[in-house]
Amino acid sequence: MRTPLIIANWKLHKTIRESLAFVNKFISIIGKVYNRDIVLCPPFTAIYQVGKELSGTTVKLGAQNLFYEEKGAYTGEVSAEMLKEAGCSYVIIGHSERRKYFLETDKIINAKIKKAESYGLIPIICIGEKAEEKDSGKTREVVGRQMKEALRDFTSTQLEKFVLAYEPIWAIGTGKVETPEQTNEVIGYLRNLLSSLYGYSVASKVRFLYGGSVKPENSTSLLSQKEVDGLLVGGASLEPDSFASICKV
Ligand code: PGA
């Protein structure tokens, strides 16, 4: 059985003060949750303090990115070791906004996943098609390729703990959401592909999330799909009430 996983991706939002105010309110609403994993991914500046605030709760900490090098002259970058020490157990890698604005390629994303894995950070690997790719019937081809490239050189045992997030780019921050049935179809395709490449046992353990305009109103129908193991939530994760109601589904 795969434990459901709900992730808050705060992107470029929340100062330290705002982050701590969120955590206090959110924890008071949600209490301790044992039948699912909940992860908050604050911006780098707030990670350490959010982690301290979360200690003693069941909510886990994640980052939104990392760099693939160990250390050195890479101004502005943050390493896997730094994240681990700051209390992270998860890290989002390959978000479409990073692919678009920071020119991250499948190769860079693969290198970042390798670094995360070597430090025991669970990568949340984002894949998804553009609107024009969907319109021309290329969704499976695009997301299948992104998944294969992201997982290059890993063994089945390493993959078991990984998380894949299917996020159609046209659905991110737009209010347009993929239908639960279509989401289930695409993730089912990816799981079958994973099974053919690494075996059924691995494919049945890897958690697949949906992301893209998730709101309290659409989260129940998305999560009730057989293949959907969780949600990656952007905009609706910024308010404690709305994120808590998604977490409670
Ligand atoms: P959204 O973002 O929920 O605001 O669409 C999701 C994401 O980018 O992870």
Side-chain angles (χ1 to χ4, degrees), residues 35-104:
N35 58 354
R36 60 197 52 206
D37 294 331
I38 299 171
V39 181
L40 301 183
C41 300
F44 286 134
T45 47
I47 283 180
Y48 180 66
Q49 276 182 277
V50 166
K52 286 178 86 168
E53 203 68 15
L54 290 176
S55 75
T57 76
T58 54
V59 178
K60 306 222 170 61
L61 188 65
Q64 300 171 20
N65 181 35
L66 52 59
F67 194 52
Y68 52 78
E69 291 293 353
E70 192 71 27
K71 56 179 65 169
Y74 304 103
T75 303
E77 293 297 332
V78 171
S79 75
E81 186 182 13
M82 293 169 188
L83 295 180
K84 192 75 190 175
E85 196 191 65
C88 291
S89 39
Y90 289 80
V91 56
I92 298 172
I93 298 180
H95 191 281
S96 61
E97 287 149 15
R98 297 223 47 101
R99 294 180 192 254
K100 180 176 172 191
Y101 300 117
F102 304 97
L103 312 180
E104 290 194 8

Side-chain angles (χ1 to χ4, degrees), residues 7-178:
I7 301 177
N9 173 14
W10 288 350
K11 309 190 181 185
L12 186 55
H13 294 282
K14 296 196 190 295
T15 63
I16 299 174
R17 188 178 50 78
E18 290 164 344
S19 300
L20 295 180
F22 177 103
V23 172
N24 282 322
K25 178 138 190 235
F26 178 67
I27 296 297
S28 73
I29 304 171
I30 200 104
K32 291 205 172 174
V33 181
Y34 295 101
N35 58 354
R36 60 197 52 206
D37 294 331
I38 299 171
V39 181
L40 301 183
C41 300
F44 286 134
T45 47
I47 283 180
Y48 180 66
Q49 276 182 277
V50 166
K52 286 178 86 168
E53 203 68 15
L54 290 176
S55 75
T57 76
T58 54
V59 178
K60 306 222 170 61
L61 188 65
Q64 300 171 20
N65 181 35
L66 52 59
F67 194 52
Y68 52 78
E69 291 293 353
E70 192 71 27
K71 56 179 65 169
Y74 304 103
T75 303
E77 293 297 332
V78 171
S79 75
E81 186 182 13
M82 293 169 188
L83 295 180
K84 192 75 190 175
E85 196 191 65
C88 291
S89 39
Y90 289 80
V91 56
I92 298 172
I93 298 180
H95 191 281
S96 61
E97 287 149 15
R98 297 223 47 101
R99 294 180 192 254
K100 180 176 172 191
Y101 300 117
F102 304 97
L103 312 180
E104 290 194 8
T105 60
D106 287 330
K107 199 162 170 242
I108 290 173
I109 289 159
N110 175 253
K112 290 187 171 196
I113 301 168
K114 285 177 178 152
K115 191 50 79 180
E117 195 276 337
S118 73
Y119 277 87
L121 290 163
I122 299 174
I124 301 152
I125 306 161
C126 300
I127 57 179
E129 83 285 3
K130 299 185 181 124
E132 57 271 27
E133 290 165 337
K134 179 180 169 67
D135 294 344
S136 55
K138 293 213 173 86
T139 298
R140 286 180 172 209
E141 185 189 321
V142 170
V143 295
R145 189 189 61 237
Q146 289 173 336
M147 184 176 76
K148 279 200 261 181
E149 292 298 321
L151 301 181
R152 190 179 282 276
D153 305 326
F154 283 105
T155 65
S156 321
T157 328
Q158 288 172 315
L159 292 189
E160 284 180 3
K161 294 192 196 72
F162 287 11
V163 174
L164 279 134
Y166 169 53
E167 298 204 303
I169 295 172
W170 50 268
I172 296 178
T174 56
K176 292 184 205 152
V177 60
E178 184 53 283

Side-chain angles (χ1 to χ4, degrees), residues 185-234:
E185 216 264 339
V186 175
I187 296 181
Y189 165 75
L190 290 167
R191 203 185 293 284
N192 280 335
L193 180 61
L194 203 60
S195 181
S196 70
L197 295 168
Y198 297 95
Y200 174 76
S201 154
V202 177
S204 62
K205 289 188 186 117
V206 168
R207 288 183 286 182
F208 278 91
L209 316 181
Y210 168 81
S213 297
V214 171
K215 301 278 176 290
E217 308 79 64
N218 57 31
S219 50
T220 310
S221 55
L222 286 160
L223 272 179
S224 62
Q225 297 296 315
K226 182 170 158 281
E227 299 291 353
V228 180
D229 304 315
L231 302 166
L232 178 51
V233 190

